[in-house]
Amino acid sequence: MSPPALHRIGIGTDLHALAPGRPLVLGGVRIPFEKGPLGHSDGDVVLHALIDAVSGAAGMPDIGEQFPDSDPRHRDADSRDLVRHTLHALRTTRHRVACVDLIIHAEKPKLSAYKDAIRRSVAELLGLDPARVAIKAKTNEGLDAVGRGEAIACTAVVGLVLTDSG
Ligand code: MG
């Protein structure tokens, strides 16, 4: 039997400024580095971009509307919990995530050693086979805030299938 056809696609991006002494978490994986994202939550750019991609595909409100940074409950939130919340809402739209493609934009640290752990972490969070999750890491060739190591960013694309299509 052929796999269910993609029903919707969505795109999401996120960027956080980096500051010394903050923990760097990407896709739920703690990465050893001397800097980490400033932000209200844990600043996980991978999961934030993913949430916006899923939400966009399903026609749901964006991350800022779902989890306002004015809400003290989201202070230092584990972004995995935010993803779980979004997936719960996704179910009511009769969709599920079928595949994810992620690009992490970071000048430093070098992420090649962590890509597989990030892929597995994101796949587990989404209940997907890791083969359905792609992670790319790119530098910004020294340009702009990402290139100067002042920020880290992520671009995410997801495909959704209908839950009743197999
Ligand atoms: Mg963010």
Side-chain angles (χ1 to χ4, degrees):
M1 204 175 88
S2 59
L6 285 185
H7 189 249
R8 302 283 289 269
I9 59 166
I11 186 169
T13 69
D14 194 36
L15 178 147
H16 281 256
L18 293 168
R22 295 271 302 176
L24 177 60
V25 181
L26 294 173
V29 177
R30 179 80 160 83
I31 311 287
F33 190 50
E34 72 264 21
K35 289 194 276 187
L38 286 171
H40 192 67
S41 67
D42 62 9
D44 189 327
V45 290
V46 172
L47 297 188
H48 294 181
L50 175 67
I51 287 170
D52 261 350
V54 170
S55 301
M60 287 162 26
D62 68 24
I63 187 170
E65 232 178 287
Q66 287 183 62
F67 312 107
D69 60 12
S70 55
D71 187 335
R73 283 178 304 170
H74 304 138
R75 179 173 294 280
D76 295 325
D78 182 335
S79 294
R80 288 175 297 187
D81 291 335
L82 307 185
V83 173
R84 290 183 189 109
H85 194 277
T86 298
L87 292 176
H88 186 75
L90 179 69
R91 269 181 231 128
T92 67
T93 74
R94 296 170 48 244
H95 288 97
R96 63 181 169 81
V97 177
C99 55
V100 182
D101 196 358
L102 297 160
I103 304 173
I104 302 168
H105 310 274
E107 207 68 16
K108 279 184 189 170
K110 202 162 168 36
L111 294 171
S112 48
Y114 303 103
K115 282 195 294 185
D116 197 52
I118 295 168
R119 189 162 66 100
R120 288 174 188 283
S121 171
V122 171
E124 188 185 345
L125 196 50
L126 296 173
L128 282 180
D129 186 320
R132 296 287 192 122
V133 177
I135 308 272
K136 278 101 77 181
K138 295 178 77 74
T139 71
N140 221 35
E141 300 287 339
L143 299 170
D144 297 337
V146 168
R148 290 191 298 270
E150 297 167 3
I152 192 162
C154 182
T155 306
V157 170
V158 307
L160 303 182
V161 293
L162 289 167
T163 46
D164 54 10
S165 64

